[in-house]
Amino acid sequence: MSIRPKTKTLFFSSLLISSTFFSQAHNVSEGYQKPTDPLVVQNLENWQDLKFGLFMHWGTYSQWGIVESWSLCPEDEDWTKRKSEHGKSYYEYVKNYENLQTTFNPTQFNPQKWADAAKKAGMKYVVFTTKHHDGFAMFDTQQSDYKITSSKTPFSKNPKADVVKEVFNTFRKDGFKIGAYFSKPDWHSDDYWWSYFPPKDRNVNYDPKKYPERWNNFKNFTFNQLNEITSNYGKVDILWLDGGWVRPFHTIDPNVEWQRTIKVEQDIDMDKIGTMARKNQPGIIIVDRTVPGKWENYVTPEQAVPEKVLSIPWESCITMGDSFSYVPNDNYKSSQKIIETLIKIISRGGNYLMNIAPGPNGDYDPIVYERLNEISGWMDKNQSAVFATRSIAPYHDGNFYYTQSKDGKTVNVFHLDEKTNYESPSTLSFTIPDNFKPKSVKILGLSNKIQWKKSGNSIELNLPKERTQLKYSTVIQITQ
């Protein structure tokens, strides 16, 4: 991820950074430029119907159980701990890290197993890391030999060696929309981190204005890789560009801490990249993270949910564990916590992109499948209140969260009680949205008719004994 902090307490620091994204960064609504391409507008509308997506960070770093490739970055204060484990000096550490290519052999890689579990849990789209900041390509790029299909990588002999191809084809076949995560910075490239200078932080380690030819080589390299991804891998619906420090200097927001580290111009020519991507994939949604303008088609808070409804398309990317990449014995969130987060996000008009990280063997932790199976039981009963819905005032009132069908004829009210185990109460009373005239009320997942009465602008429900069957939340569906 791009907004990675310099601290060991990764999850909570990401929360802080993401709140900064909303409170101090560019006003996301004012800075947003609505796309002018009618096909992109329609695809964004369709994407907002999907609500729940699967994010996957996976690379050679999974073998060390570290936070993606961030330990390569000298500004990451925690790298000194890992240095003692994997190298005596920074340069020895980098060499050993890059040698992970020679031992990466995830023989249990089976994307159909992932797609089956994700689809059952209600996920509708996938965003997969084609390349993280370390520059290791999980696809068969012709621009570099630092890739999973290189003869240096043992997995290259596997018939599923082109991981991006396998993931995209498998999930697309199962009806998922396809998103390609791609890091704009590339710390392996000698045209980004030039070996002539030591790297100081996440940014390019020379001044592109002083060495325009070298920077131009990097721009061409990036363009060519993105051309490969959008040309050779079938239909791609989302191009999810990370590494927001690679940006025109004039777009920097000095109120955002990590953007203050950008000292030089890093314009990668997004107009050229975006035009090429749309030519290869008409209508593709492009997410140039944190760079306001025509190539940030939706915004992406990380590890946080905005406090209020946003008037523009948005997606919270949040980990199922504590880390975006595989860590042994990670602390996975409960199914109740995941459902609660989904409800909060959709009530505020957003999408939930939940990250699950495969391990070095090529599979998820077994607990992940348990969580997805538990979520699927809830989703089977309540999906009509989740998908293809939009926000409606009052959005959130006490323990109640609201969505509505796009035609405005149905309102869904989610009751949460953020205790360890949800228990549905015998009576519920909540506000009705303005100008909504209820004719029928039902509890999703219960067959019994519900006793209800309207009083002023509120409804009171009496719930039958079978309410004890309800897990995680009570979902009330009202039609007018």
Side-chain angles (χ1 to χ4, degrees):
M1 300 295 289
S2 75
I3 314 175
R4 180 64 59 232
K6 299 186 283 184
T7 170
K8 299 175 187 179
T9 52
L10 293 161
F11 178 66
F12 295 106
S13 294
S14 290
L15 281 170
L16 286 172
I17 298 240
S18 287
S19 62
T20 300
F21 180 97
F22 282 101
S23 62
Q24 294 182 332
H26 63 278
N27 183 306
V28 288
S29 296
E30 285 182 13
Y32 182 73
Q33 288 184 27
K34 186 176 178 179
T36 55
D37 182 333
L39 190 51
V40 177
V41 173
Q42 184 58 55
N43 287 342
L44 266 176
E45 177 73 17
N46 295 341
W47 170 81
Q48 288 180 289
D49 290 346
L50 306 179
K51 299 303 176 192
F52 197 23
L54 170 63
F55 205 6
M56 282 191 278
H57 277 67
W58 194 32
T60 62
Y61 45 76
S62 61
Q63 296 172 91
W64 279 357
I66 57 177
V67 182
E68 310 130 56
S69 54
W70 274 96
S71 57
L72 295 172
C73 183
E75 76 180 70
D76 180 13
E77 292 167 356
D78 201 27
W79 89 269
T80 50
K81 174 190 163 194
R82 290 187 286 274
K83 177 187 72 172
S84 61
E85 297 170 4
H86 302 297
K88 293 177 183 175
S89 69
Y90 173 76
Y91 292 101
E92 186 178 352
Y93 180 89
V94 171
K95 182 181 177 184
N96 290 339
Y97 180 98
E98 294 191 339
N99 276 339
L100 287 170
Q101 174 182 14
T102 65
T103 54
F104 194 42
N105 194 23
T107 54
Q108 292 179 35
F109 170 57
N110 178 6
Q112 190 62 59
K113 186 179 178 185
W114 299 343
D116 289 346
K119 185 174 184 177
K120 201 175 171 194
M123 291 169 157
K124 305 289 188 188
Y125 65 109
V126 62
V127 178
F128 184 79
T129 47
T130 65
K131 185 184 81 167
H132 201 257
H133 312 327
D134 60 0
F136 186 79
M138 297 291 279
F139 64 104
D140 187 29
T141 181
Q142 302 307 300
Q143 311 306 312
S144 164
D145 198 39
Y146 193 47
K147 60 181 178 179
I148 195 158
T149 52
S150 164
S151 59
K152 297 176 187 174
T153 312
F155 194 63
S156 63
K157 298 177 180 64
N158 193 291
K160 296 180 179 177
D162 191 338
V163 163
V164 166
K165 177 183 175 184
E166 297 297 324
V167 168
F168 285 4
N169 286 352
T170 301
F171 278 81
R172 190 187 297 113
K173 174 177 60 69
D174 273 0
F176 285 74
K177 297 295 184 185
I178 302 300
Y181 168 111
F182 181 90
S183 168
K184 293 183 293 180
D186 187 315
W187 295 335
H188 183 77
S189 169
D190 204 49
D191 291 319
Y192 192 77
W193 274 3
W194 185 9
S195 54
Y196 187 73
F197 298 111
K200 300 186 294 297
D201 53 27
R202 67 185 71 189
N203 296 283
V204 63
N205 68 342
Y206 62 91
D207 186 347
K209 285 189 172 179
K210 288 184 181 176
Y211 303 97
E213 187 175 343
R214 184 167 291 273
W215 183 250
N216 202 50
N217 288 341
F218 182 67
K219 283 163 62 174
N220 289 335
F221 167 79
T222 305
F223 178 91
N224 291 339
Q225 284 199 323
L226 287 168
N227 189 31
E228 290 173 332
I229 289 168
T230 54
S231 296
N232 302 337
Y233 289 88
K235 179 85 165 69
V236 179
D237 304 284
I238 303 165
L239 184 58
W240 210 96
L241 299 175
D242 202 7
W245 56 94
V246 176
R247 68 198 293 150
F249 197 78
H250 70 87
T251 67
I252 294 168
D253 186 338
N255 293 315
V256 181
E257 182 185 0
W258 65 264
Q259 291 189 32
R260 290 200 295 269
T261 70
I262 308 169
K263 304 298 184 186
V264 294
E265 179 68 68
Q266 296 186 65
D267 189 341
I268 205 163
D269 199 348
M270 271 305 301
D271 281 349
K272 184 179 178 184
I273 288 169
T275 301
M276 170 270 292
R278 292 254 163 90
K279 183 180 178 185
N280 293 342
Q281 301 281 344
I284 191 172
I285 296 168
I286 298 177
V287 182
D288 190 15
R289 289 191 82 201
T290 75
V291 186
K294 68 177 181 177
W295 301 114
E296 191 182 29
N297 296 161
Y298 66 74
V299 296
T300 53
E302 181 177 323
Q303 296 285 48
V305 182
E307 285 298 314
K308 296 179 180 176
V309 174
L310 297 182
S311 60
I312 61 174
W314 64 276
E315 163 194 85
S316 280
C317 46
I318 299 176
T319 50
M320 182 189 269
D322 283 348
S323 173
F324 275 101
S325 51
Y326 173 79
V327 174
N329 305 309
D330 202 356
N331 177 36
Y332 289 98
K333 296 172 182 65
S334 68
S335 298
Q336 180 167 324
K337 180 68 176 174
I338 292 166
I339 295 294
E340 288 167 354
T341 302
L342 174 66
I343 289 167
K344 290 174 183 177
I345 287 171
I346 63 175
S347 72
R348 293 164 197 173
N351 281 18
Y352 182 4
L353 185 63
M354 184 168 69
N355 186 87
I356 301 172
N361 64 353
D363 202 359
Y364 298 152
D365 190 304
I367 200 169
V368 167
Y369 294 104
E370 291 177 25
R371 294 287 187 272
L372 293 176
N373 188 53
E374 288 164 356
I375 293 164
S376 73
W378 183 89
M379 199 66 83
D380 284 345
K381 300 179 180 72
N382 298 295
Q383 56 186 308
S384 65
V386 174
F387 304 112
T389 59
R390 294 295 183 267
S391 59
I392 182 173
Y395 314 116
H396 167 212
D397 184 13
N399 285 339
F400 296 95
Y401 295 80
Y402 297 76
T403 65
Q404 66 173 328
S405 60
K406 288 200 288 184
D407 63 10
K409 293 178 181 176
T410 303
V411 164
N412 309 291
V413 184
F414 300 83
H415 176 253
L416 300 182
D417 185 1
E418 297 178 56
K419 295 176 182 173
T420 306
N421 291 302
Y422 178 83
E423 291 183 5
S424 184
S426 57
T427 61
L428 287 171
S429 181
F430 53 87
T431 304
I432 311 165
D434 289 344
N435 303 316
F436 192 84
K437 298 176 175 59
K439 284 188 179 172
S440 68
V441 176
K442 65 180 178 180
I443 305 289
L444 297 183
L446 300 188
S447 55
N448 287 14
K449 283 195 170 183
I450 305 301
Q451 293 182 325
W452 63 281
K453 63 179 181 182
K454 180 176 178 289
S455 177
N457 68 339
S458 65
I459 281 182
E460 185 174 296
L461 301 181
N462 291 316
L463 279 72
K465 288 182 180 177
E466 60 170 336
R467 69 180 184 278
T468 56
Q469 301 170 17
L470 299 174
K471 292 186 101 178
Y472 312 131
S473 71
T474 300
V475 186
I476 306 128
Q477 197 161 71
I478 312 165
T479 54
Q480 69 174 354

